[in-house]
């Protein structure tokens, strides 16, 4: 019989947040076990509710959004995005420069498919949000990882970026605020990245989906507001800030040097048309969502849920012998470091499996974020403090006598 294999294009494409460790967790759940899933940044299962105003609005809009929209999206939605970009200091974005998508995810894949030829390189952070590496690879390109330095608050290492630029480098991905580290980059650092991009004719891919989830009174700077010389694609959406990840609504806006990117823009227009349009009822929420305050605004203030959970997890992680973490400044992730010598860890995926099987807690190992050394993992700190507390107590018990053994 003929066998059907996955396409060769998918070789080396991986998305471990929903990978083998999660498959094992799902198997355990099917067998009646209870698993605490701390692997996906999905607010709804942890009791975060979408604003009533948006739910009512979407219900009311269902009959007027039955048809396809313009492939780039509803005019009213794109108009609101242009205004949002202006408020963030991003100049020169017109309605035609905005594409709505079924989440930022769809647009990340599209932006790479439209640009890359075999052998083209894109600089991607390590650790990264793995969809970026997967999308570069799927599009035939090579993701070249630049290091973010834990010793320097997980900021991108500018010297490492410099070393990794080659004549084949077409762009650089900047995830700010960052998933999985929770870092927030200062303007001065972003200016250094802009300088390198300008000097080397690189496109900047700015993933800013967490820009409204910034704590401690800090201000987020959009990297696209710092240059008009290179092409910038700024990605954003409502999954996190308005707690509607399931509605699938995101966008990308183009700014800067569009003149020299006409061919690429033609490619993006073609790809956008090929998927007809993104979810129209969800698009119809964009203007309202961007005119109200983010649902998470209060949650990131002292006393708010996300803020207090961040405070809790940061302390709990650093209280466990052999584990430490930099304090996250934004989003809802922490990326702890493990003392690999103490625990004899050689394989971080196996470590995640060991914790899952023994303590029934699911998280993603650092390798899932293209972090090469097996000494990190990511915790999504969306659950209530009582749940996080139980998880961390179990983790402490687990690590008290853990020494990794090979299977
Ligand atoms: C950094 C980052 N970019 C993009 C996405 C995708 O978001 P969306 O729901 O808009 O597809 C996520 C989701 O977790 C993310 O963490």
């Amino acid at each position: 019989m003929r066998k059907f294999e996955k396409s060769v294009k998918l070789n080396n494409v991986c998305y471990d947040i929903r990978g083998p460790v999660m498959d094992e967790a799902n198997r355990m759940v099917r067998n009646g076990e209870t698993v605490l899933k701390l692997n996906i940044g999905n607010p709804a299962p942890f009791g975060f509710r979408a604003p009533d105003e948006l739910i009512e609005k979407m219900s009311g809009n269902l009959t007027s959004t039955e048809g396809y929209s313009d492939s780039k999206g509803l005019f009213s939605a794109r108009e609101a995005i242009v205004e949002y970009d202006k408020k963030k200091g991003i100049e020169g974005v017109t309605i035609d420069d905005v594409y709505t998508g079924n989440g930022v995810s769809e647009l990340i894949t599209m932006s790479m498919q439209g640009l890359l030829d075999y052998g083209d390189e894109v600089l991607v952070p390590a650790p990264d949000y793995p969809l970026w590496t997967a999308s570069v690879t799927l599009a035939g390109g090579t993701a070249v990882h630049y290091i973010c330095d834990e010793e320097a608050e997980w900021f991108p290492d500018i010297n490492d970026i410099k070393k990794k630029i080659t004549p084949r480098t077409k762009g650089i991905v900047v995830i700010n605020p960052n998933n999985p580290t929770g870092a927030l980059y200062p303007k001065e650092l972003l200016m250094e990245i802009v300088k390198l991009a300008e000097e080397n004719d690189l496109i900047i891919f700015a993933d800013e989906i967490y820009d409204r989830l910034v704590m401690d009174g800090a201000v987020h700077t959009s990297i696209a507001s710092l240059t008009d010389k290179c092409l910038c694609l700024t990605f954003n959406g409502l999954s996190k800030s308005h707690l509607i990840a399931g509605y699938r609504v995101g966008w990308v806006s183009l700014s800067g040097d569009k003149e020299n990117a006409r061919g690429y823009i033609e490619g993006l227009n073609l790809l956008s048309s090929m998927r007809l349009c993104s979810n129209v009822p969800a698009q119809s929420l964009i203007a309202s969502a961007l005119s109200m305050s983010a649902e998470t605004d209060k949650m990131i203030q002292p006393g708010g849920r996300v803020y207090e959970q961040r405070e809790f997890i940061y302390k709990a992680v650093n209280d466990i012998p052999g584990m430490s973490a930099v304090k996250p400044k934004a989003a809802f992730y922490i990326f702890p470091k493990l003392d690999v010598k103490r625990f004899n860890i050689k394989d971080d995926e196996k470590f995640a499996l060991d914790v899952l099987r023994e303590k029934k807690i699911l998280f993603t190992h650092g390798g899932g974020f293209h972090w090469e050394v097996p000494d990190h993992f990511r915790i999504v700190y969306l659950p209530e403090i009582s749940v996080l507390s139980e998880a961390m107590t179990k983790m402490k018990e687990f690590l008290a006598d853990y020494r990794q053994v090979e299977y």
Side-chain angles (χ1 to χ4, degrees), residues 208-383:
E208 301 188 345
I209 192 165
Y210 297 103
D211 72 338
R212 282 150 286 166
L213 277 133
V214 169
M215 287 174 267
D216 310 321
V219 175
H220 174 264
T221 304
S222 275
I223 191 165
S225 70
L226 304 176
T227 177
D228 56 6
K229 294 199 181 62
C230 40
L231 180 71
C232 289
L233 277 71
T234 305
F235 298 78
N236 213 323
L238 302 181
S239 292
K240 318 289 175 173
S241 60
H242 291 74
L243 307 170
I244 50 174
Y247 292 2
R248 313 305 298 124
V249 50
W251 60 85
V252 60
S253 9
L254 274 59
S255 60
D257 180 14
K258 290 170 254 173
E259 197 49 39
N260 285 307
R262 283 202 190 153
Y264 178 31
I265 292 169
E266 213 175 283
L268 288 176
N269 290 342
L270 175 64
L271 290 170
S272 176
S273 305
M274 282 164 61
R275 53 92 211 229
L276 304 184
C277 66
S278 67
N279 179 339
V280 187
Q283 282 181 50
S284 76
L285 299 181
I286 294 176
S288 308
L290 291 182
S291 68
M292 62 199 252
S293 53
E295 189 61 8
T296 44
D297 271 4
K298 287 205 187 86
M299 297 178 189
I300 54 175
Q301 304 302 332
R305 196 174 152 185
V306 174
Y307 180 93
E308 296 302 332
Q309 287 166 198
R310 191 264 317 241
E311 295 292 295
F312 175 84
I313 200 77
Y314 172 63
K315 186 168 181 314
V317 163
N318 286 293
D319 277 351
I320 296 181
M323 211 197 295
S324 60
V326 175
K327 191 169 192 176
K329 308 287 181 306
F332 27 67
Y333 311 101
I334 190 164
F335 199 55
K337 181 175 187 167
L338 293 158
D339 183 339
V340 280
K341 278 210 186 105
R342 177 184 183 131
F343 304 122
N344 193 40
I345 298 173
K346 304 271 192 305
D347 178 338
D348 55 352
E349 187 170 44
K350 182 176 181 308
F351 172 76
L353 278 169
D354 289 344
V355 181
L356 173 65
R357 289 187 180 130
E358 197 176 316
K359 294 294 177 189
K360 307 193 188 338
I361 304 170
L362 171 64
F363 55 74
T364 310
H365 57 290
F369 305 95
H370 300 99
W371 186 253
E372 276 189 4
V373 189
D375 60 352
H376 280 79
F377 68 101
R378 184 189 75 170
I379 300 175
V380 175
Y381 61 80
L382 282 169

Side-chain angles (χ1 to χ4, degrees), residues 15 17 40-42 101-106 108 129 131-132 175-180 207-210 235-240 244-246 248-251 332-333 378:
Y15 188 73
I17 296 177
I40 296 179
N42 186 14
N102 295 302
V104 164
S105 305
E106 180 186 40
I108 290 177
Y129 174 61
L131 184 62
W132 281 103
I175 306 173
N176 176 42
N178 191 269
N179 176 6
D207 182 341
E208 301 188 345
I209 192 165
Y210 297 103
F235 298 78
N236 213 323
L238 302 181
S239 292
K240 318 289 175 173
I244 50 174
R248 313 305 298 124
V249 50
W251 60 85
F332 27 67
Y333 311 101
R378 184 189 75 170

Side-chain angles (χ1 to χ4, degrees), residues 44 72 86-87 94 121 130 144-145 149 159 175 192 276 308 323 325 363-364 366:
K72 289 184 181 177
K86 257 192 217 150
K87 271 193 218 138
T94 70
E121 293 169 8
V144 176
H145 292 107
D149 182 4
N159 285 328
I175 306 173
E192 287 188 69
L276 304 184
E308 296 302 332
M323 211 197 295
F363 55 74
T364 310

Side-chain angles (χ1 to χ4, degrees), residues 40-58:
I40 296 179
N42 186 14
F46 301 105
F48 288 88
R49 297 297 326 279
D52 288 341
E53 194 181 328
L54 291 187
I55 295 174
E56 280 158 25
K57 177 119 199 146
M58 180 129 125

